[in-house]
Amino acid sequence: MSEPSLSANPSSISEAPAAKTASLWQQFLRSAHWLLLLPLLLDLGYSYVQHLNVPHDGDMVAHVLPRPWYTLILDDPLGLKVLLQNQYYSSPNRYFAFATLYQYMHNVPLWLQAFVDPIYSTYMACAIAKTIIQAALISLLAYYAGERVSLSAKVFLIAALLATPFFQTAGFHEEIGIIDRSITYTIFYALPLALLLVYFLPFYRRFFAQAQKQVSVIWHIILPAFAVVLALNGPLIPAVAGLMSGAMLLYLWQRNYSQRSNSSETFVIKAWSAIRNLPWGVTAQFCFLILVCAYSLYIGTHNSENITTYTLAQRYEKLWLGIPIMLGGSWAFPLLFFATLFNVAVVAFGFKDEKAKALRKTALWLLALAALYLALLPLGGYRDVRPYILRRDTIIPVTLCFIYLFSTTSIYLLSRFANGYKYAYIAALAALVWFYSATDRSNLRENNCEVAALQTIAQSKEKVVHLESDCSIMNWGTITDSKYSEEQGKMLHYWRITKEEKRFYH
């Protein structure tokens, strides 16, 4: 009897492992985009460490304690004292920003003291808030940019990777800083803008996303209350939200009007028909937001801190002088500006598909809104800390606008370029990302002096502590007379850093 054959085809033994290896490699390539999470998380972790080592700002204690005139804001959320009694006081239209900072810094450091010492808890609280707001803004920008082209996990991560380097904690922070070194300014500027991006999410999905979705009933119920929170939250939101809502209504009207462009009807009839065909649920939401923003702007005219001797013409002169100083003082903003314009130009003149046309139209609208926003800035008054009106905080909406345009056009071009151009473009993007990332390096010992001073105050048995160091302690400068440290002493006692209220001087 013959021996049975072990294999009809011996070569299949060697082919099976090869096929299995090829299959595993294909699976790895399909999921390799998740590796993009690694640089994103590393950058966010480094940002947390950067935020953790920033000294406390000089406005925080006044708002958190708070000073007597700031209690007027916390006692009057809607600013009715302005409306009914014609009163003037500090920031009457910013209740939710004040309340957020007050509640957060009153409670979170104390909660964290279950894990860390009291001094460290205050820096940790600030770092956590800044990092969460930074992550939220990057995620929202990535979602908007990806949804505009083709939302997927891969596209979202690429968009986040493109947006991340522009969040400068050190480096170009003075020019394009979005997350401010000061927790106070972060709560008042970056956080409300993140909330505004959340507000517009359902409308973005309804009118601009690839898979357009109706605004749900739940959103229609939530949005009016959200509008009130936004309008009375931070100095920029009333103007920015009003401009964006007005622009959206104009865009929807123009879209309806263009659909009847071939009609023989008169302009008035076509214009009225375009108004009648507006989605009334959406229109009502935008009109309400504009209304509450107008109210906020009105009561904001009674802000006692904005009273100035500079005329409107003088403020516009300062703005004109400040544009080249602020926007051209380093490579930070010009490089972002020209990179974005390059992308927009290539999309507009190099491609003719529907996505390219939509991106071109979006770019024109956003660039026009950015220019209009800058032109309206002098109407918001004058502060000595912003001698030329423009500063990193007042131009955050413009900075976010350019980051979004840069990200969404970059993703589009990556999906359209042929291999030769694509590799060159990827190299250019990598160089740009590296340039901004390499610039953002902090002094991670920056708050060591302040921490050491707080330890000295905490350990001293004196009611009035003399400090040898010359660094500021929760102030915008050194305190040479102990009577000016009363607020800081009360805050330190509240945070359990000291067992009793103390004062200090340098």
Side-chain angles (χ1 to χ4, degrees):
M1 183 178 292
S2 60
E3 293 286 337
S5 173
L6 294 176
S7 174
N9 184 6
S11 64
S12 64
I13 297 175
S14 60
E15 288 176 358
K20 186 175 182 181
T21 301
S23 176
L24 290 173
W25 179 248
Q26 290 174 356
Q27 291 178 19
F28 171 76
L29 290 178
R30 282 196 294 268
S31 59
H33 61 268
W34 290 108
L35 293 175
L36 294 174
L37 269 174
L38 183 60
L40 288 171
L41 293 176
L42 286 174
D43 186 272
L44 202 61
Y46 179 63
S47 293
Y48 171 79
V49 175
Q50 289 178 299
H51 298 318
L52 189 62
N53 288 277
V54 172
H56 288 313
D57 68 82
D59 285 332
M60 178 183 62
V61 171
H63 291 73
V64 176
L65 197 58
R67 286 179 181 167
W69 48 87
Y70 290 143
T71 59
L72 294 174
I73 308 164
L74 297 173
D75 293 339
D76 187 16
L78 300 180
L80 295 179
K81 292 178 182 177
V82 171
L83 187 67
L84 302 177
Q85 302 174 19
N86 199 35
Q87 286 191 16
Y88 281 80
Y89 56 92
S90 177
S91 306
N93 61 338
R94 301 174 192 174
Y95 166 78
F96 289 99
F98 273 89
T100 300
L101 181 63
Y102 175 85
Q103 293 294 340
Y104 185 86
M105 292 307 296
H106 255 259
N107 294 292
V108 175
L110 300 185
W111 297 342
L112 291 173
Q113 287 175 23
F115 311 99
V116 298
D117 70 80
I119 294 176
Y120 190 84
S121 72
T122 63
Y123 295 100
M124 191 175 180
C126 294
I128 289 173
K130 293 178 189 178
T131 306
I132 290 174
I133 295 168
Q134 179 173 328
L137 278 170
I138 291 172
S139 299
L140 286 163
L141 288 170
Y143 180 88
Y144 273 82
E147 187 73 77
R148 194 72 180 89
V149 180
S150 176
L151 186 65
S152 65
K154 180 179 178 180
V155 169
F156 176 86
L157 292 173
I158 292 173
L161 201 60
L162 291 170
T164 292
F166 300 109
F167 285 75
Q168 298 273 307
T169 304
F172 293 131
H173 176 267
E174 291 302 312
E175 293 82 7
I176 59 171
I178 297 170
I179 306 300
D180 204 278
R181 288 163 52 83
S182 157
I183 184 63
T184 306
Y185 279 84
T186 298
I187 296 295
F188 274 69
Y189 288 83
L191 177 58
L193 287 168
L195 296 176
L196 185 64
L197 290 177
V198 174
Y199 178 92
F200 279 101
L201 270 178
F203 306 117
Y204 194 79
R205 289 199 298 260
R206 171 68 179 86
F207 299 109
F208 300 103
Q210 292 300 301
Q212 296 183 358
K213 302 176 183 178
Q214 293 291 334
V215 181
S216 68
V217 174
I218 295 176
W219 272 113
H220 277 298
I221 294 172
I222 293 172
L223 287 172
F226 205 166
V228 174
V229 172
L230 283 170
L232 300 172
N233 195 339
L236 302 182
I237 294 300
V240 176
L243 280 175
M244 291 180 68
S245 300
M248 280 295 299
L249 289 174
L250 183 59
Y251 167 79
L252 294 175
W253 175 87
Q254 186 270 335
R255 189 178 69 170
N256 289 346
Y257 183 86
S258 64
Q259 291 174 353
R260 307 178 68 88
S261 58
N262 296 326
S263 172
S264 59
E265 298 169 333
T266 64
F267 168 79
V268 174
I269 293 175
K270 288 190 287 187
W272 176 245
S273 178
I275 293 174
R276 289 176 57 192
N277 289 328
L278 289 172
W280 285 105
V282 172
T283 302
Q285 296 287 1
F286 286 146
C287 287
F288 181 72
L289 179 58
I290 292 172
L291 180 65
V292 292
C293 285
Y295 171 74
S296 177
L297 289 171
Y298 167 71
I299 64 174
T301 61
H302 286 60
N303 185 349
S304 59
E305 295 181 3
N306 278 348
I307 297 175
T308 176
T309 56
Y310 289 106
T311 65
L312 186 59
Q314 288 173 324
R315 278 178 265 161
Y316 271 103
E317 183 180 0
K318 288 181 176 295
L319 174 66
W320 183 252
L321 293 173
I323 290 175
I325 295 172
M326 180 63 206
L327 303 184
S330 73
W331 279 105
F333 199 92
L335 193 56
L336 172 60
F337 177 78
F338 287 115
T340 303
L341 288 190
F342 172 82
N343 277 2
V344 170
V346 173
V347 170
F349 298 108
F351 301 91
K352 303 300 179 184
D353 57 78
E354 291 303 315
K355 287 183 181 179
K357 292 178 182 178
L359 285 174
R360 180 181 61 188
K361 184 179 291 187
T362 300
L364 290 174
W365 276 91
L366 289 179
L367 291 173
L369 280 174
L372 182 58
Y373 169 78
L374 292 177
L376 294 176
L377 272 179
L379 299 178
Y382 182 85
R383 299 283 184 93
D384 290 335
V385 295
R386 303 185 190 95
Y388 295 106
I389 308 294
L390 290 180
R391 202 173 71 158
R392 62 180 183 278
D393 44 16
T394 57
I395 66 164
I396 290 177
V398 178
T399 305
L400 293 176
C401 172
F402 277 98
I403 294 173
Y404 161 75
L405 281 177
F406 172 75
S407 300
T408 193
T409 51
S410 294
I411 291 170
Y412 173 84
L413 292 174
L414 286 171
S415 69
R416 291 295 188 273
F417 275 144
N419 283 345
Y421 290 110
K422 179 181 289 186
Y423 296 142
Y425 188 67
I426 290 174
L429 287 179
L432 189 71
V433 168
W434 176 87
F435 173 73
Y436 280 93
S437 298
T439 304
D440 188 26
R441 294 184 179 181
S442 293
N443 172 14
L444 299 183
R445 298 180 178 180
E446 189 177 0
N447 67 354
N448 283 11
C449 178
E450 185 180 45
V451 170
L454 292 177
Q455 291 172 341
T456 299
I457 297 169
Q459 295 167 4
S460 175
K461 297 180 180 180
E462 302 294 329
K463 292 275 291 184
V464 179
V465 183
H466 174 245
L467 299 173
E468 298 293 341
S469 61
D470 60 353
C471 54
S472 61
I473 312 297
M474 296 188 292
N475 197 50
W476 292 122
T478 56
I479 296 175
T480 56
D481 189 335
S482 63
K483 70 180 180 182
Y484 295 116
S485 67
E486 181 180 359
E487 290 178 334
Q488 287 81 356
K490 289 180 178 180
M491 201 74 251
L492 293 177
H493 178 54
Y494 176 82
W495 281 331
R496 304 171 187 163
I497 293 173
T498 59
K499 295 180 179 179
E500 58 182 341
E501 290 185 16
K502 296 182 179 182
R503 297 186 186 186
F504 58 87
Y505 68 97
H506 298 271

